[in-house]
Amino acid sequence: MTSDSNDAVTAAILVIGDEILSGRTKDRNIGTIADYLTAVGIDLREVRIVPDERAMIVEAVNALRARYTYLFTTGGIGPTHDDITADCVAEAFGVPIDVDPRARAMLLERIKPEDLNAARLRMARIPEGADLIPNPISKAPGFRIDNVHVMAGVPAIMQAMLDQIGPSLRTGGRVISETIEVGNMPEGAYASDLAAIAGAHAGVSIGSYPSMTESGFLNRIVVRGRDGAAITAARSEIEALIARLRA
């Protein structure tokens, strides 16, 4: 894992699958990947969910890989007819796809040769020029081609693949996040002043987040950025604002 604190390293996630859009399967991968990227200094800028439709997957892959440093996809690399992610990524890059001997050998670590049927061999079809992402759980690999990392949709397997590729990622400066507890003060009481503070600190992200808890309605203001001095300055102004409004 390499670090460059001067250049922003950005990423997008592309979740692929009809089952996610229908609500039948509840996605758990977005949060896992987001937590991981934030921890290593990669800015997650966009998440897109698309069905198992070739044109939509190809369009999304091409749009997101061009816009961000990295694209991470989850889902659609299994043995069934609707697992078309590998084919779509190959189409997006304009390269052929076929059974990869390396991937086939990985499958044979878990599957007997006589059981390696056509359906299971689909999991060994890899776009030409891609590197494999090992899968220590079920052995069917993911792959990386250019800045696109293609991973499984099963959360435990996706996590295992993410752990495999993590050391190879270029990272940025770590993000500092500080929370200011506002209590039950309504957002409307401080919204205009908070916008002015945010405008005066361009390198800092400032957000207000209301929530309902067991003890009632609460607001929190979160200040995020990579410059510790800027974070401190913005936080001081916000704390002074809240104290003034409470007086």
Side-chain angles (χ1 to χ4, degrees):
M1 184 180 296
T2 59
S3 177
D4 188 339
S5 59
N6 295 319
D7 296 329
V9 183
T10 60
I13 299 172
L14 177 62
V15 179
I16 299 164
D18 293 339
E19 69 278 10
I20 301 295
L21 289 167
S22 71
R24 187 168 55 253
T25 299
K26 311 303 181 187
D27 179 82
R28 289 162 47 197
N29 292 325
I30 294 172
T32 299
I33 299 172
D35 286 343
Y36 186 92
L37 297 180
T38 297
V40 300
I42 297 176
D43 291 338
L44 178 61
R45 296 284 180 85
E46 185 173 348
V47 175
R48 195 178 297 192
I49 304 174
V50 297
D52 298 308
E53 295 183 13
R54 181 181 296 267
M56 292 185 69
I57 298 171
V58 172
E59 187 279 329
V61 168
N62 279 330
L64 296 173
R65 72 185 178 96
R67 192 174 299 153
Y68 303 107
T69 311
Y70 295 118
L71 170 60
F72 301 90
T73 82
T74 68
I77 58 172
T80 62
H81 71 282
D82 58 343
D83 289 313
I84 60 173
T85 298
D87 295 89
C88 293
V89 172
E91 182 175 335
F93 279 88
V95 299
I97 182 171
D98 205 345
V99 172
D100 187 302
R102 301 168 300 168
R104 187 177 187 277
M106 288 179 176
L107 292 179
L108 287 172
E109 293 176 21
R110 187 171 184 268
I111 302 170
K112 294 178 181 179
E114 60 269 27
D115 293 332
L116 192 57
N117 57 26
R120 291 186 172 114
L121 267 177
R122 285 178 56 81
M123 297 185 290
R125 297 176 69 252
I126 305 293
E128 185 176 287
D131 298 317
L132 301 186
I133 301 174
N135 169 7
I137 296 178
S138 66
K139 297 303 179 179
F143 61 87
R144 177 182 63 243
I145 179 167
D146 194 32
N147 64 336
V148 179
H149 297 78
V150 177
M151 300 183 291
V154 177
I157 298 176
M158 189 288 300
Q159 177 70 72
M161 289 182 176
L162 188 61
D163 291 340
Q164 294 286 327
I165 64 178
S168 69
L169 299 175
R170 182 168 67 89
T171 60
R174 300 296 177 90
V175 174
I176 303 166
S177 180
E178 296 192 6
T179 301
I180 301 162
E181 299 290 343
V182 181
N184 61 2
M185 183 182 297
E187 288 183 298
Y190 57 77
S192 296
D193 291 319
L194 189 64
I197 294 172
H201 298 275
V204 176
S205 171
I206 299 173
S208 177
Y209 303 100
S211 62
M212 290 299 298
T213 69
E214 291 182 359
S215 58
F217 177 78
L218 292 176
N219 266 321
R220 294 181 175 89
I221 296 174
V222 178
V223 184
R224 299 176 71 250
R226 291 189 169 86
D227 186 330
I231 293 286
T232 299
R235 174 169 187 150
S236 296
E237 291 183 30
I238 294 168
E239 289 176 334
L241 166 64
I242 299 304
R244 184 171 70 251
L245 292 172
R246 284 177 176 155

